[in-house]
Amino acid sequence: MTYDTFLGPLNHVGIAVPDIHKAIEMYRNVFGVTDITEPADLPPQGVTFAFVNLPSGQVELIQPYGDKSPITKFLEKNPKGGQHHICFEVKDIHAASLAMAEKGMRVLNEPRIGAHGTPVVFLHPGDAGGVLIELMETPKEAH
Ligand code: CO
């Protein structure tokens, strides 16, 4: 039996924060990280995001953007912020999305452009061991 490894690299861990500037300051001043992107708005996802770049991958800081942000509720439950999702790369988001649905996972959205400029989908945490999983198509230029 052949076994195709479905998941590519772990791309980032998403951390919801109430104040992205304070969070960036913490990573810069407490942890000494120098490579952190400027916060940018991503209206379709309802978040403002910044990447803390580490040798092994990224921490994605996300703060609510707009009235209907999907992370507002999360922050009501976790006012100081907290780990929100993990993101794995996949080669083809449409194939991955179909494969996940066939295996009984609830795919929460049609592929849409995420913070890295490539399409992403989210999988229901109730089907994934309590973890909100983001699948992201590997950026073409990176490989
Ligand atoms: Co993410």
Side-chain angles (χ1 to χ4, degrees):
M1 180 168 113
T2 59
Y3 212 88
D4 243 340
T5 302
F6 178 75
L7 291 181
L10 174 64
N11 183 276
H12 64 265
V13 175
I15 309 282
V17 297
D19 182 331
I20 200 162
H21 294 281
K22 276 191 183 160
I24 288 170
E25 254 172 56
M26 184 192 74
Y27 278 93
R28 189 170 285 139
N29 298 333
V30 178
F31 296 122
V33 181
T34 52
D35 187 0
I36 304 175
T37 65
E38 283 298 312
D41 299 331
L42 193 61
Q45 305 267 24
V47 298
T48 298
F49 70 95
F51 287 116
V52 178
N53 291 313
L54 302 168
S56 54
Q58 296 173 312
V59 170
E60 179 189 55
L61 301 171
I62 46 176
Q63 173 192 282
Y65 176 93
D67 305 334
K68 289 176 188 157
S69 174
I71 58 172
T72 300
K73 260 195 187 142
F74 181 90
L75 284 170
E76 280 167 11
K77 287 184 205 151
N78 305 276
K80 291 188 170 180
Q83 188 185 324
H84 181 261
H85 65 272
I86 60 174
C87 176
F88 299 106
E89 294 182 23
V90 295
K91 279 185 202 147
D92 178 331
I93 197 72
H94 294 278
S97 186
L98 278 175
M100 289 297 95
E102 274 171 16
K103 290 179 193 214
M105 305 287 277
R106 279 167 284 177
V107 180
L108 297 176
N109 61 283
E110 290 296 314
R112 63 181 185 220
I113 297 300
H116 288 83
T118 68
V120 303
V121 297
F122 286 88
L123 305 178
H124 197 292
D127 300 334
V131 177
L132 178 61
I133 292 183
E134 177 182 13
L135 298 178
M136 149 190 166
E137 195 163 279
T138 301
K140 294 281 184 275
E141 62 275 23
H143 291 271

